Amino acid sequence: MEELFDYIFYRVYKAYQKRDSTPEIYAAGVLSLMQFFFLLCILVFIGLFVEFPIPHKYYALPFIILILGINWFKYERNFNVKELELKWGKEDRSIRKRRGWLLVLCLISLILFPIVIGVLKHNLNLL
C-alpha cells in the first residue's frame, strides 16, 4: 500500500514540478484527499449494512488536516525524489499514461461513490 501512495505522490509531484517551486505540498494534498475519500467510501459502504450515525461534516476537516500533516511530514522529512525517479522515472510512456488515467478515474470514483450512495439512500429512498 505504501508503494501505491509513493507512486501517487510521485506522479502528482512531477505534474506540479513544472508549475510551482514547492510541488511537495500539492502532492501531499492530493494524496491526503484520496486517502480521506477512500476512508469515507469504506465508512459509507459499511453504513449500507450497519446503521450508525455518520459524524458531522465539521469533524472531517481536522481529520483531513491530520492526514495531510502525516503525509507532508513523511514526504518532506525523508523526501528523496531521486529514489522515486529511479523507481518510476523510466516508466514506459503507454504504461505511464494508462496509470495516470487510472489515478484520475480512481480519484473521481472516490469522490462520486459517497455522493451517489447518499443520493440513492436519502433523496430517492432506494437503499
PDB file of all heavy atoms in Angstrom, residues 44-80:
ATOM      1  N   VAL A  44     -19.024   4.742   4.272  1.00  0.00           N
ATOM      2  CA  VAL A  44     -20.319   4.744   3.591  1.00  0.00           C
ATOM      3  C   VAL A  44     -20.730   3.320   3.223  1.00  0.00           C
ATOM      4  O   VAL A  44     -21.890   2.935   3.372  1.00  0.00           O
ATOM      5  CB  VAL A  44     -20.276   5.653   2.346  1.00  0.00           C
ATOM      6  CG1 VAL A  44     -21.494   5.456   1.455  1.00  0.00           C
ATOM      7  CG2 VAL A  44     -20.153   7.105   2.753  1.00  0.00           C
ATOM      8  N   PHE A  45     -19.783   2.522   2.760  1.00  0.00           N
ATOM      9  CA  PHE A  45     -20.082   1.134   2.392  1.00  0.00           C
ATOM     10  C   PHE A  45     -20.540   0.330   3.607  1.00  0.00           C
ATOM     11  O   PHE A  45     -21.516  -0.415   3.536  1.00  0.00           O
ATOM     12  CB  PHE A  45     -18.855   0.488   1.744  1.00  0.00           C
ATOM     13  CG  PHE A  45     -19.104  -0.908   1.264  1.00  0.00           C
ATOM     14  CD1 PHE A  45     -19.850  -1.130   0.115  1.00  0.00           C
ATOM     15  CD2 PHE A  45     -18.603  -1.995   1.964  1.00  0.00           C
ATOM     16  CE1 PHE A  45     -20.083  -2.414  -0.329  1.00  0.00           C
ATOM     17  CE2 PHE A  45     -18.838  -3.281   1.519  1.00  0.00           C
ATOM     18  CZ  PHE A  45     -19.578  -3.498   0.365  1.00  0.00           C
ATOM     19  N   ILE A  46     -19.853   0.489   4.719  1.00  0.00           N
ATOM     20  CA  ILE A  46     -20.256  -0.203   5.951  1.00  0.00           C
ATOM     21  C   ILE A  46     -21.634   0.297   6.394  1.00  0.00           C
ATOM     22  O   ILE A  46     -22.460  -0.477   6.879  1.00  0.00           O
ATOM     23  CB  ILE A  46     -19.196  -0.014   7.057  1.00  0.00           C
ATOM     24  CG1 ILE A  46     -17.913  -0.751   6.684  1.00  0.00           C
ATOM     25  CG2 ILE A  46     -19.717  -0.498   8.406  1.00  0.00           C
ATOM     26  CD1 ILE A  46     -16.741  -0.462   7.592  1.00  0.00           C
ATOM     27  N   GLY A  47     -21.884   1.592   6.191  1.00  0.00           N
ATOM     28  CA  GLY A  47     -23.174   2.169   6.545  1.00  0.00           C
ATOM     29  C   GLY A  47     -24.343   1.595   5.768  1.00  0.00           C
ATOM     30  O   GLY A  47     -25.492   1.717   6.181  1.00  0.00           O
ATOM     31  N   LEU A  48     -24.062   0.969   4.640  1.00  0.00           N
ATOM     32  CA  LEU A  48     -25.127   0.310   3.878  1.00  0.00           C
ATOM     33  C   LEU A  48     -25.666  -0.913   4.607  1.00  0.00           C
ATOM     34  O   LEU A  48     -26.826  -1.283   4.437  1.00  0.00           O
ATOM     35  CB  LEU A  48     -24.619  -0.101   2.491  1.00  0.00           C
ATOM     36  CG  LEU A  48     -24.337   1.019   1.505  1.00  0.00           C
ATOM     37  CD1 LEU A  48     -23.700   0.464   0.248  1.00  0.00           C
ATOM     38  CD2 LEU A  48     -25.604   1.780   1.181  1.00  0.00           C
ATOM     39  N   PHE A  49     -24.818  -1.557   5.389  1.00  0.00           N
ATOM     40  CA  PHE A  49     -25.185  -2.805   6.052  1.00  0.00           C
ATOM     41  C   PHE A  49     -25.448  -2.644   7.543  1.00  0.00           C
ATOM     42  O   PHE A  49     -26.227  -3.388   8.125  1.00  0.00           O
ATOM     43  CB  PHE A  49     -24.082  -3.853   5.840  1.00  0.00           C
ATOM     44  CG  PHE A  49     -23.786  -4.096   4.393  1.00  0.00           C
ATOM     45  CD1 PHE A  49     -22.630  -3.608   3.806  1.00  0.00           C
ATOM     46  CD2 PHE A  49     -24.679  -4.804   3.604  1.00  0.00           C
ATOM     47  CE1 PHE A  49     -22.361  -3.828   2.468  1.00  0.00           C
ATOM     48  CE2 PHE A  49     -24.415  -5.024   2.268  1.00  0.00           C
ATOM     49  CZ  PHE A  49     -23.258  -4.536   1.697  1.00  0.00           C
ATOM     50  N   VAL A  50     -24.775  -1.714   8.163  1.00  0.00           N
ATOM     51  CA  VAL A  50     -24.907  -1.476   9.598  1.00  0.00           C
ATOM     52  C   VAL A  50     -25.354  -0.034   9.796  1.00  0.00           C
ATOM     53  O   VAL A  50     -24.685   0.897   9.328  1.00  0.00           O
ATOM     54  CB  VAL A  50     -23.560  -1.713  10.332  1.00  0.00           C
ATOM     55  CG1 VAL A  50     -23.704  -1.445  11.809  1.00  0.00           C
ATOM     56  CG2 VAL A  50     -23.037  -3.103  10.067  1.00  0.00           C
ATOM     57  N   GLU A  51     -26.452   0.157  10.464  1.00  0.00           N
ATOM     58  CA  GLU A  51     -26.984   1.507  10.690  1.00  0.00           C
ATOM     59  C   GLU A  51     -26.232   2.172  11.840  1.00  0.00           C
ATOM     60  O   GLU A  51     -26.222   1.668  12.960  1.00  0.00           O
ATOM     61  CB  GLU A  51     -28.476   1.435  11.017  1.00  0.00           C
ATOM     62  CG  GLU A  51     -29.171   2.757  10.989  1.00  0.00           C
ATOM     63  CD  GLU A  51     -29.257   3.349   9.586  1.00  0.00           C
ATOM     64  OE1 GLU A  51     -29.366   2.589   8.611  1.00  0.00           O
ATOM     65  OE2 GLU A  51     -29.194   4.584   9.487  1.00  0.00           O
ATOM     66  N   PHE A  52     -25.577   3.283  11.554  1.00  0.00           N
ATOM     67  CA  PHE A  52     -24.902   4.069  12.577  1.00  0.00           C
ATOM     68  C   PHE A  52     -24.839   5.521  12.099  1.00  0.00           C
ATOM     69  O   PHE A  52     -24.878   5.775  10.895  1.00  0.00           O
ATOM     70  CB  PHE A  52     -23.486   3.540  12.876  1.00  0.00           C
ATOM     71  CG  PHE A  52     -22.548   3.590  11.711  1.00  0.00           C
ATOM     72  CD1 PHE A  52     -21.751   4.697  11.493  1.00  0.00           C
ATOM     73  CD2 PHE A  52     -22.445   2.521  10.833  1.00  0.00           C
ATOM     74  CE1 PHE A  52     -20.884   4.745  10.412  1.00  0.00           C
ATOM     75  CE2 PHE A  52     -21.579   2.555   9.762  1.00  0.00           C
ATOM     76  CZ  PHE A  52     -20.795   3.672   9.548  1.00  0.00           C
ATOM     77  N   PRO A  53     -24.775   6.447  13.026  1.00  0.00           N
ATOM     78  CA  PRO A  53     -24.743   7.856  12.609  1.00  0.00           C
ATOM     79  C   PRO A  53     -23.372   8.218  12.034  1.00  0.00           C
ATOM     80  O   PRO A  53     -22.334   7.898  12.614  1.00  0.00           O
ATOM     81  CB  PRO A  53     -25.013   8.624  13.901  1.00  0.00           C
ATOM     82  CG  PRO A  53     -24.594   7.698  14.985  1.00  0.00           C
ATOM     83  CD  PRO A  53     -24.828   6.302  14.466  1.00  0.00           C
ATOM     84  N   ILE A  54     -23.388   8.850  10.894  1.00  0.00           N
ATOM     85  CA  ILE A  54     -22.144   9.311  10.282  1.00  0.00           C
ATOM     86  C   ILE A  54     -21.760  10.628  10.956  1.00  0.00           C
ATOM     87  O   ILE A  54     -22.614  11.493  11.163  1.00  0.00           O
ATOM     88  CB  ILE A  54     -22.313   9.484   8.766  1.00  0.00           C
ATOM     89  CG1 ILE A  54     -22.539   8.110   8.127  1.00  0.00           C
ATOM     90  CG2 ILE A  54     -21.107  10.172   8.145  1.00  0.00           C
ATOM     91  CD1 ILE A  54     -22.708   8.124   6.644  1.00  0.00           C
ATOM     92  N   PRO A  55     -20.485  10.782  11.336  1.00  0.00           N
ATOM     93  CA  PRO A  55     -20.064  12.009  12.018  1.00  0.00           C
ATOM     94  C   PRO A  55     -20.365  13.260  11.188  1.00  0.00           C
ATOM     95  O   PRO A  55     -20.400  13.216   9.962  1.00  0.00           O
ATOM     96  CB  PRO A  55     -18.556  11.828  12.192  1.00  0.00           C
ATOM     97  CG  PRO A  55     -18.330  10.366  12.073  1.00  0.00           C
ATOM     98  CD  PRO A  55     -19.399   9.833  11.174  1.00  0.00           C
ATOM     99  N   HIS A  56     -20.559  14.366  11.874  1.00  0.00           N
ATOM    100  CA  HIS A  56     -20.868  15.632  11.229  1.00  0.00           C
ATOM    101  C   HIS A  56     -19.710  16.068  10.333  1.00  0.00           C
ATOM    102  O   HIS A  56     -18.555  15.722  10.584  1.00  0.00           O
ATOM    103  CB  HIS A  56     -21.130  16.700  12.300  1.00  0.00           C
ATOM    104  CG  HIS A  56     -21.825  17.896  11.764  1.00  0.00           C
ATOM    105  ND1 HIS A  56     -21.140  18.980  11.283  1.00  0.00           N
ATOM    106  CD2 HIS A  56     -23.147  18.172  11.617  1.00  0.00           C
ATOM    107  CE1 HIS A  56     -22.006  19.886  10.859  1.00  0.00           C
ATOM    108  NE2 HIS A  56     -23.235  19.428  11.061  1.00  0.00           N
ATOM    109  N   LYS A  57     -20.010  16.842   9.312  1.00  0.00           N
ATOM    110  CA  LYS A  57     -19.004  17.254   8.340  1.00  0.00           C
ATOM    111  C   LYS A  57     -17.881  18.088   8.950  1.00  0.00           C
ATOM    112  O   LYS A  57     -16.781  18.117   8.410  1.00  0.00           O
ATOM    113  CB  LYS A  57     -19.649  17.998   7.189  1.00  0.00           C
ATOM    114  CG  LYS A  57     -20.331  19.282   7.586  1.00  0.00           C
ATOM    115  CD  LYS A  57     -21.042  19.904   6.409  1.00  0.00           C
ATOM    116  CE  LYS A  57     -21.839  21.115   6.863  1.00  0.00           C
ATOM    117  NZ  LYS A  57     -22.617  21.651   5.773  1.00  0.00           N
ATOM    118  N   TYR A  58     -18.129  18.740  10.072  1.00  0.00           N
ATOM    119  CA  TYR A  58     -17.079  19.551  10.684  1.00  0.00           C
ATOM    120  C   TYR A  58     -15.977  18.696  11.316  1.00  0.00           C
ATOM    121  O   TYR A  58     -14.900  19.199  11.602  1.00  0.00           O
ATOM    122  CB  TYR A  58     -17.667  20.508  11.712  1.00  0.00           C
ATOM    123  CG  TYR A  58     -18.581  21.532  11.078  1.00  0.00           C
ATOM    124  CD1 TYR A  58     -19.913  21.608  11.428  1.00  0.00           C
ATOM    125  CD2 TYR A  58     -18.098  22.399  10.103  1.00  0.00           C
ATOM    126  CE1 TYR A  58     -20.756  22.537  10.844  1.00  0.00           C
ATOM    127  CE2 TYR A  58     -18.926  23.327   9.504  1.00  0.00           C
ATOM    128  CZ  TYR A  58     -20.252  23.390   9.873  1.00  0.00           C
ATOM    129  OH  TYR A  58     -21.074  24.302   9.294  1.00  0.00           O
ATOM    130  N   TYR A  59     -16.246  17.423  11.541  1.00  0.00           N
ATOM    131  CA  TYR A  59     -15.209  16.522  12.042  1.00  0.00           C
ATOM    132  C   TYR A  59     -14.257  16.096  10.936  1.00  0.00           C
ATOM    133  O   TYR A  59     -13.175  15.587  11.206  1.00  0.00           O
ATOM    134  CB  TYR A  59     -15.824  15.284  12.696  1.00  0.00           C
ATOM    135  CG  TYR A  59     -16.551  15.590  13.975  1.00  0.00           C
ATOM    136  CD1 TYR A  59     -17.926  15.440  14.066  1.00  0.00           C
ATOM    137  CD2 TYR A  59     -15.864  16.030  15.100  1.00  0.00           C
ATOM    138  CE1 TYR A  59     -18.602  15.713  15.236  1.00  0.00           C
ATOM    139  CE2 TYR A  59     -16.530  16.317  16.273  1.00  0.00           C
ATOM    140  CZ  TYR A  59     -17.897  16.158  16.333  1.00  0.00           C
ATOM    141  OH  TYR A  59     -18.555  16.440  17.486  1.00  0.00           O
ATOM    142  N   ALA A  60     -14.656  16.290   9.693  1.00  0.00           N
ATOM    143  CA  ALA A  60     -13.825  15.873   8.570  1.00  0.00           C
ATOM    144  C   ALA A  60     -12.604  16.765   8.408  1.00  0.00           C
ATOM    145  O   ALA A  60     -11.518  16.272   8.087  1.00  0.00           O
ATOM    146  CB  ALA A  60     -14.643  15.856   7.284  1.00  0.00           C
ATOM    147  N   LEU A  61     -12.756  18.056   8.600  1.00  0.00           N
ATOM    148  CA  LEU A  61     -11.654  18.981   8.379  1.00  0.00           C
ATOM    149  C   LEU A  61     -10.433  18.702   9.259  1.00  0.00           C
ATOM    150  O   LEU A  61      -9.316  18.606   8.733  1.00  0.00           O
ATOM    151  CB  LEU A  61     -12.126  20.426   8.553  1.00  0.00           C
ATOM    152  CG  LEU A  61     -11.114  21.498   8.186  1.00  0.00           C
ATOM    153  CD1 LEU A  61     -10.711  21.373   6.725  1.00  0.00           C
ATOM    154  CD2 LEU A  61     -11.682  22.868   8.467  1.00  0.00           C
ATOM    155  N   PRO A  62     -10.585  18.505  10.576  1.00  0.00           N
ATOM    156  CA  PRO A  62      -9.397  18.156  11.366  1.00  0.00           C
ATOM    157  C   PRO A  62      -8.788  16.818  10.942  1.00  0.00           C
ATOM    158  O   PRO A  62      -7.569  16.660  10.961  1.00  0.00           O
ATOM    159  CB  PRO A  62      -9.923  18.068  12.801  1.00  0.00           C
ATOM    160  CG  PRO A  62     -11.194  18.805  12.815  1.00  0.00           C
ATOM    161  CD  PRO A  62     -11.748  18.725  11.429  1.00  0.00           C
ATOM    162  N   PHE A  63      -9.639  15.900  10.524  1.00  0.00           N
ATOM    163  CA  PHE A  63      -9.138  14.600  10.076  1.00  0.00           C
ATOM    164  C   PHE A  63      -8.335  14.752   8.782  1.00  0.00           C
ATOM    165  O   PHE A  63      -7.276  14.142   8.629  1.00  0.00           O
ATOM    166  CB  PHE A  63     -10.308  13.635   9.899  1.00  0.00           C
ATOM    167  CG  PHE A  63      -9.895  12.210   9.755  1.00  0.00           C
ATOM    168  CD1 PHE A  63      -9.297  11.537  10.802  1.00  0.00           C
ATOM    169  CD2 PHE A  63     -10.100  11.544   8.564  1.00  0.00           C
ATOM    170  CE1 PHE A  63      -8.913  10.227  10.676  1.00  0.00           C
ATOM    171  CE2 PHE A  63      -9.718  10.229   8.424  1.00  0.00           C
ATOM    172  CZ  PHE A  63      -9.122   9.574   9.479  1.00  0.00           C
ATOM    173  N   ILE A  64      -8.822  15.568   7.856  1.00  0.00           N
ATOM    174  CA  ILE A  64      -8.092  15.828   6.610  1.00  0.00           C
ATOM    175  C   ILE A  64      -6.769  16.514   6.911  1.00  0.00           C
ATOM    176  O   ILE A  64      -5.731  16.168   6.335  1.00  0.00           O
ATOM    177  CB  ILE A  64      -8.937  16.672   5.642  1.00  0.00           C
ATOM    178  CG1 ILE A  64     -10.137  15.862   5.147  1.00  0.00           C
ATOM    179  CG2 ILE A  64      -8.114  17.155   4.462  1.00  0.00           C
ATOM    180  CD1 ILE A  64     -11.129  16.672   4.352  1.00  0.00           C
ATOM    181  N   ILE A  65      -6.786  17.477   7.829  1.00  0.00           N
ATOM    182  CA  ILE A  65      -5.556  18.186   8.193  1.00  0.00           C
ATOM    183  C   ILE A  65      -4.559  17.229   8.846  1.00  0.00           C
ATOM    184  O   ILE A  65      -3.359  17.300   8.583  1.00  0.00           O
ATOM    185  CB  ILE A  65      -5.876  19.390   9.102  1.00  0.00           C
ATOM    186  CG1 ILE A  65      -6.635  20.448   8.301  1.00  0.00           C
ATOM    187  CG2 ILE A  65      -4.619  19.980   9.723  1.00  0.00           C
ATOM    188  CD1 ILE A  65      -7.189  21.589   9.114  1.00  0.00           C
ATOM    189  N   LEU A  66      -5.055  16.299   9.658  1.00  0.00           N
ATOM    190  CA  LEU A  66      -4.178  15.295  10.269  1.00  0.00           C
ATOM    191  C   LEU A  66      -3.533  14.411   9.203  1.00  0.00           C
ATOM    192  O   LEU A  66      -2.316  14.181   9.233  1.00  0.00           O
ATOM    193  CB  LEU A  66      -4.971  14.446  11.258  1.00  0.00           C
ATOM    194  CG  LEU A  66      -4.206  13.287  11.904  1.00  0.00           C
ATOM    195  CD1 LEU A  66      -3.133  13.822  12.829  1.00  0.00           C
ATOM    196  CD2 LEU A  66      -5.162  12.369  12.648  1.00  0.00           C
ATOM    197  N   ILE A  67      -4.327  13.934   8.253  1.00  0.00           N
ATOM    198  CA  ILE A  67      -3.790  13.093   7.171  1.00  0.00           C
ATOM    199  C   ILE A  67      -2.779  13.895   6.348  1.00  0.00           C
ATOM    200  O   ILE A  67      -1.701  13.383   6.006  1.00  0.00           O
ATOM    201  CB  ILE A  67      -4.924  12.554   6.284  1.00  0.00           C
ATOM    202  CG1 ILE A  67      -5.791  11.567   7.061  1.00  0.00           C
ATOM    203  CG2 ILE A  67      -4.357  11.863   5.043  1.00  0.00           C
ATOM    204  CD1 ILE A  67      -7.041  11.123   6.314  1.00  0.00           C
ATOM    205  N   LEU A  68      -3.111  15.142   6.035  1.00  0.00           N
ATOM    206  CA  LEU A  68      -2.199  15.998   5.283  1.00  0.00           C
ATOM    207  C   LEU A  68      -0.895  16.198   6.051  1.00  0.00           C
ATOM    208  O   LEU A  68       0.191  16.129   5.474  1.00  0.00           O
ATOM    209  CB  LEU A  68      -2.852  17.343   4.982  1.00  0.00           C
ATOM    210  CG  LEU A  68      -1.995  18.368   4.250  1.00  0.00           C
ATOM    211  CD1 LEU A  68      -1.622  17.862   2.873  1.00  0.00           C
ATOM    212  CD2 LEU A  68      -2.728  19.691   4.147  1.00  0.00           C
ATOM    213  N   GLY A  69      -0.989  16.428   7.352  1.00  0.00           N
ATOM    214  CA  GLY A  69       0.209  16.604   8.165  1.00  0.00           C
ATOM    215  C   GLY A  69       1.087  15.361   8.187  1.00  0.00           C
ATOM    216  O   GLY A  69       2.307  15.451   8.076  1.00  0.00           O
ATOM    217  N   ILE A  70       0.467  14.207   8.314  1.00  0.00           N
ATOM    218  CA  ILE A  70       1.231  12.957   8.315  1.00  0.00           C
ATOM    219  C   ILE A  70       1.929  12.761   6.975  1.00  0.00           C
ATOM    220  O   ILE A  70       3.117  12.420   6.923  1.00  0.00           O
ATOM    221  CB  ILE A  70       0.316  11.764   8.662  1.00  0.00           C
ATOM    222  CG1 ILE A  70      -0.127  11.842  10.117  1.00  0.00           C
ATOM    223  CG2 ILE A  70       1.004  10.437   8.365  1.00  0.00           C
ATOM    224  CD1 ILE A  70      -1.230  10.868  10.483  1.00  0.00           C
ATOM    225  N   ASN A  71       1.196  12.974   5.883  1.00  0.00           N
ATOM    226  CA  ASN A  71       1.802  12.800   4.558  1.00  0.00           C
ATOM    227  C   ASN A  71       2.886  13.837   4.304  1.00  0.00           C
ATOM    228  O   ASN A  71       3.950  13.506   3.770  1.00  0.00           O
ATOM    229  CB  ASN A  71       0.734  12.888   3.463  1.00  0.00           C
ATOM    230  CG  ASN A  71      -0.092  11.640   3.377  1.00  0.00           C
ATOM    231  OD1 ASN A  71       0.376  10.545   3.642  1.00  0.00           O
ATOM    232  ND2 ASN A  71      -1.345  11.802   3.018  1.00  0.00           N
ATOM    233  N   TRP A  72       2.619  15.084   4.673  1.00  0.00           N
ATOM    234  CA  TRP A  72       3.625  16.114   4.466  1.00  0.00           C
ATOM    235  C   TRP A  72       4.876  15.803   5.271  1.00  0.00           C
ATOM    236  O   TRP A  72       5.986  15.919   4.770  1.00  0.00           O
ATOM    237  CB  TRP A  72       3.065  17.478   4.855  1.00  0.00           C
ATOM    238  CG  TRP A  72       4.013  18.588   4.555  1.00  0.00           C
ATOM    239  CD1 TRP A  72       4.212  19.194   3.362  1.00  0.00           C
ATOM    240  CD2 TRP A  72       4.931  19.191   5.462  1.00  0.00           C
ATOM    241  NE1 TRP A  72       5.178  20.155   3.473  1.00  0.00           N
ATOM    242  CE2 TRP A  72       5.639  20.183   4.759  1.00  0.00           C
ATOM    243  CE3 TRP A  72       5.215  19.004   6.814  1.00  0.00           C
ATOM    244  CZ2 TRP A  72       6.606  20.968   5.352  1.00  0.00           C
ATOM    245  CZ3 TRP A  72       6.183  19.790   7.396  1.00  0.00           C
ATOM    246  CH2 TRP A  72       6.866  20.755   6.667  1.00  0.00           C
ATOM    247  N   PHE A  73       4.693  15.374   6.527  1.00  0.00           N
ATOM    248  CA  PHE A  73       5.836  15.042   7.377  1.00  0.00           C
ATOM    249  C   PHE A  73       6.617  13.869   6.797  1.00  0.00           C
ATOM    250  O   PHE A  73       7.844  13.891   6.757  1.00  0.00           O
ATOM    251  CB  PHE A  73       5.354  14.719   8.791  1.00  0.00           C
ATOM    252  CG  PHE A  73       6.462  14.496   9.767  1.00  0.00           C
ATOM    253  CD1 PHE A  73       7.209  15.555  10.234  1.00  0.00           C
ATOM    254  CD2 PHE A  73       6.752  13.223  10.219  1.00  0.00           C
ATOM    255  CE1 PHE A  73       8.242  15.358  11.142  1.00  0.00           C
ATOM    256  CE2 PHE A  73       7.781  13.008  11.123  1.00  0.00           C
ATOM    257  CZ  PHE A  73       8.528  14.083  11.583  1.00  0.00           C
ATOM    258  N   LYS A  74       5.903  12.860   6.322  1.00  0.00           N
ATOM    259  CA  LYS A  74       6.568  11.667   5.766  1.00  0.00           C
ATOM    260  C   LYS A  74       7.371  12.018   4.516  1.00  0.00           C
ATOM    261  O   LYS A  74       8.523  11.618   4.373  1.00  0.00           O
ATOM    262  CB  LYS A  74       5.548  10.594   5.420  1.00  0.00           C
ATOM    263  CG  LYS A  74       6.171   9.390   4.757  1.00  0.00           C
ATOM    264  CD  LYS A  74       5.132   8.386   4.323  1.00  0.00           C
ATOM    265  CE  LYS A  74       5.818   7.150   3.834  1.00  0.00           C
ATOM    266  NZ  LYS A  74       5.692   6.860   2.474  1.00  0.00           N
ATOM    267  N   TYR A  75       6.764  12.758   3.626  1.00  0.00           N
ATOM    268  CA  TYR A  75       7.426  13.028   2.352  1.00  0.00           C
ATOM    269  C   TYR A  75       8.346  14.244   2.401  1.00  0.00           C
ATOM    270  O   TYR A  75       9.232  14.366   1.571  1.00  0.00           O
ATOM    271  CB  TYR A  75       6.380  13.182   1.242  1.00  0.00           C
ATOM    272  CG  TYR A  75       5.729  11.870   0.907  1.00  0.00           C
ATOM    273  CD1 TYR A  75       4.435  11.591   1.296  1.00  0.00           C
ATOM    274  CD2 TYR A  75       6.422  10.883   0.229  1.00  0.00           C
ATOM    275  CE1 TYR A  75       3.831  10.377   1.009  1.00  0.00           C
ATOM    276  CE2 TYR A  75       5.843   9.661  -0.068  1.00  0.00           C
ATOM    277  CZ  TYR A  75       4.545   9.424   0.327  1.00  0.00           C
ATOM    278  OH  TYR A  75       3.976   8.209   0.039  1.00  0.00           O
ATOM    279  N   GLU A  76       8.156  15.127   3.323  1.00  0.00           N
ATOM    280  CA  GLU A  76       9.047  16.278   3.417  1.00  0.00           C
ATOM    281  C   GLU A  76      10.295  15.942   4.226  1.00  0.00           C
ATOM    282  O   GLU A  76      11.397  16.346   3.879  1.00  0.00           O
ATOM    283  CB  GLU A  76       8.313  17.455   4.053  1.00  0.00           C
ATOM    284  CG  GLU A  76       9.109  18.727   4.122  1.00  0.00           C
ATOM    285  CD  GLU A  76       9.426  19.299   2.744  1.00  0.00           C
ATOM    286  OE1 GLU A  76       8.684  19.044   1.797  1.00  0.00           O
ATOM    287  OE2 GLU A  76      10.441  20.006   2.641  1.00  0.00           O
ATOM    288  N   ARG A  77      10.126  15.192   5.279  1.00  0.00           N
ATOM    289  CA  ARG A  77      11.250  14.876   6.167  1.00  0.00           C
ATOM    290  C   ARG A  77      12.263  13.969   5.473  1.00  0.00           C
ATOM    291  O   ARG A  77      13.456  14.230   5.487  1.00  0.00           O
ATOM    292  CB  ARG A  77      10.729  14.206   7.436  1.00  0.00           C
ATOM    293  CG  ARG A  77      11.782  13.978   8.482  1.00  0.00           C
ATOM    294  CD  ARG A  77      11.167  13.408   9.719  1.00  0.00           C
ATOM    295  NE  ARG A  77      10.377  12.228   9.395  1.00  0.00           N
ATOM    296  CZ  ARG A  77      10.614  11.011   9.849  1.00  0.00           C
ATOM    297  NH1 ARG A  77      11.589  10.821  10.687  1.00  0.00           N
ATOM    298  NH2 ARG A  77       9.867  10.005   9.506  1.00  0.00           N
ATOM    299  N   ASN A  78      11.791  12.898   4.880  1.00  0.00           N
ATOM    300  CA  ASN A  78      12.683  11.945   4.221  1.00  0.00           C
ATOM    301  C   ASN A  78      12.481  11.943   2.717  1.00  0.00           C
ATOM    302  O   ASN A  78      12.642  10.925   2.072  1.00  0.00           O
ATOM    303  CB  ASN A  78      12.436  10.531   4.759  1.00  0.00           C
ATOM    304  CG  ASN A  78      12.852  10.385   6.188  1.00  0.00           C
ATOM    305  OD1 ASN A  78      13.809  11.011   6.631  1.00  0.00           O
ATOM    306  ND2 ASN A  78      12.136   9.575   6.944  1.00  0.00           N
ATOM    307  N   PHE A  79      12.106  13.079   2.159  1.00  0.00           N
ATOM    308  CA  PHE A  79      11.780  13.118   0.745  1.00  0.00           C
ATOM    309  C   PHE A  79      13.040  13.009  -0.099  1.00  0.00           C
ATOM    310  O   PHE A  79      13.985  13.768   0.063  1.00  0.00           O
ATOM    311  CB  PHE A  79      11.033  14.409   0.408  1.00  0.00           C
ATOM    312  CG  PHE A  79      10.605  14.467  -1.014  1.00  0.00           C
ATOM    313  CD1 PHE A  79       9.650  13.587  -1.494  1.00  0.00           C
ATOM    314  CD2 PHE A  79      11.162  15.373  -1.877  1.00  0.00           C
ATOM    315  CE1 PHE A  79       9.244  13.637  -2.809  1.00  0.00           C
ATOM    316  CE2 PHE A  79      10.765  15.430  -3.191  1.00  0.00           C
ATOM    317  CZ  PHE A  79       9.804  14.562  -3.662  1.00  0.00           C
ATOM    318  N   ASN A  80      13.034  12.019  -0.978  1.00  0.00           N
ATOM    319  CA  ASN A  80      14.137  11.814  -1.899  1.00  0.00           C
ATOM    320  C   ASN A  80      13.536  11.521  -3.266  1.00  0.00           C
ATOM    321  O   ASN A  80      13.210  10.383  -3.578  1.00  0.00           O
ATOM    322  CB  ASN A  80      15.030  10.665  -1.428  1.00  0.00           C
ATOM    323  CG  ASN A  80      16.274  10.529  -2.275  1.00  0.00           C
ATOM    324  OD1 ASN A  80      16.509  11.303  -3.189  1.00  0.00           O
ATOM    325  ND2 ASN A  80      17.077   9.537  -1.959  1.00  0.00           N
TER     326      ASN A  80
END
